Amino acid sequence: TKKSIIKRHNTIVTKIKNTLQSSGRDLLVEHEKTFLIDQEMIRPDIVVIDKNNNNIQIVDITCPFDAKIRFLKNRFHDKVNKYNRPAIREVLGAKYGIDSKFVYVRPIVIGSRGLIDSLTVESFKYLKIMSLIKWAQTSTIAGSLNVWRYFKNS
């Protein structure tokens, strides 16, 4: 089961990473890079460095159970709270030569049944990957079906 859940997550991460890398924009896209910050190791799924627009986007993806829209909003805010700390912004800003006030957190929360809320839509919009929303929802549902099959057959 854990393997199926990780595969569902990683499929979304890989597609977003590849889409950003092949967007034609001048972006540096770091994938699962580990950073030591205040003696804590953090590893967001994707860090997008856009030198032309002078900003950094921290992208972290999760596919929680989506019984209610507030669960998705809570997970979104959990990701913001995890990565939107001054120390993280300062370390990433210094590493990539960008002012820490231009380091943003863009969580992508897609419920296990494909539900997304307006906060995640905004993340897709900021990243300029709106065309991936339906694909991400469909892929998450397909991945959740594989998780269900595992439970059904065990």
Side-chain angles (χ1 to χ4, degrees):
T1 307
K2 182 89 170 156
K3 205 182 254 187
S4 298
I5 291 169
I6 291 169
K7 184 177 180 185
R8 177 182 65 193
H9 168 269
N10 289 346
T11 298
I12 306 294
V13 171
T14 300
K15 179 72 169 185
I16 289 172
K17 174 187 66 101
N18 291 344
T19 299
L20 290 166
Q21 287 174 327
S22 64
S23 68
R25 296 183 282 153
D26 188 19
L27 304 174
L28 172 61
V29 180
E30 302 274 18
H31 176 237
E32 293 189 350
K33 187 163 177 112
T34 303
F35 301 93
L36 177 61
I37 297 171
D38 289 341
Q39 301 174 357
E40 176 188 0
M41 302 300 275
I42 65 155
R43 191 177 74 171
D45 292 318
I46 301 168
V47 177
V48 182
I49 300 90
D50 184 346
K51 291 270 189 174
N52 291 337
N53 293 307
N54 196 39
N55 66 55
I56 298 171
Q57 311 287 331
I58 301 170
V59 182
D60 209 56
I61 295 143
T62 187
C63 304
F65 182 66
D66 56 0
K68 296 187 178 182
I69 197 80
R70 83 168 186 271
F71 295 161
L72 301 181
K73 288 184 185 300
N74 290 345
R75 290 305 305 271
F76 186 95
H77 291 296
D78 290 345
K79 294 290 185 182
V80 169
N81 292 335
K82 179 178 180 178
Y83 291 109
N84 198 28
R85 299 189 320 238
I88 293 173
R89 291 194 315 274
E90 288 167 15
V91 167
L92 291 179
K95 177 172 179 48
Y96 297 108
I98 293 176
D99 190 315
S100 64
K101 67 183 174 192
F102 300 112
V103 177
Y104 306 100
V105 180
R106 305 291 182 211
I108 293 182
V109 181
I110 305 166
S112 59
R113 297 179 296 171
L115 186 62
I116 64 171
D117 73 338
S118 59
L119 297 171
T120 291
V121 171
E122 288 300 311
S123 289
F124 276 95
K125 195 179 295 181
Y126 282 116
L127 294 166
K128 299 180 178 151
I129 55 171
M130 289 291 289
S131 62
L132 289 185
I133 289 178
K134 285 187 177 154
W135 175 88
Q137 290 174 298
T138 303
S139 180
T140 301
I141 293 166
S144 296
L145 183 57
N146 289 333
V147 172
W148 175 79
R149 283 185 185 128
Y150 176 87
F151 279 118
K152 181 180 173 245
N153 294 326
S154 7

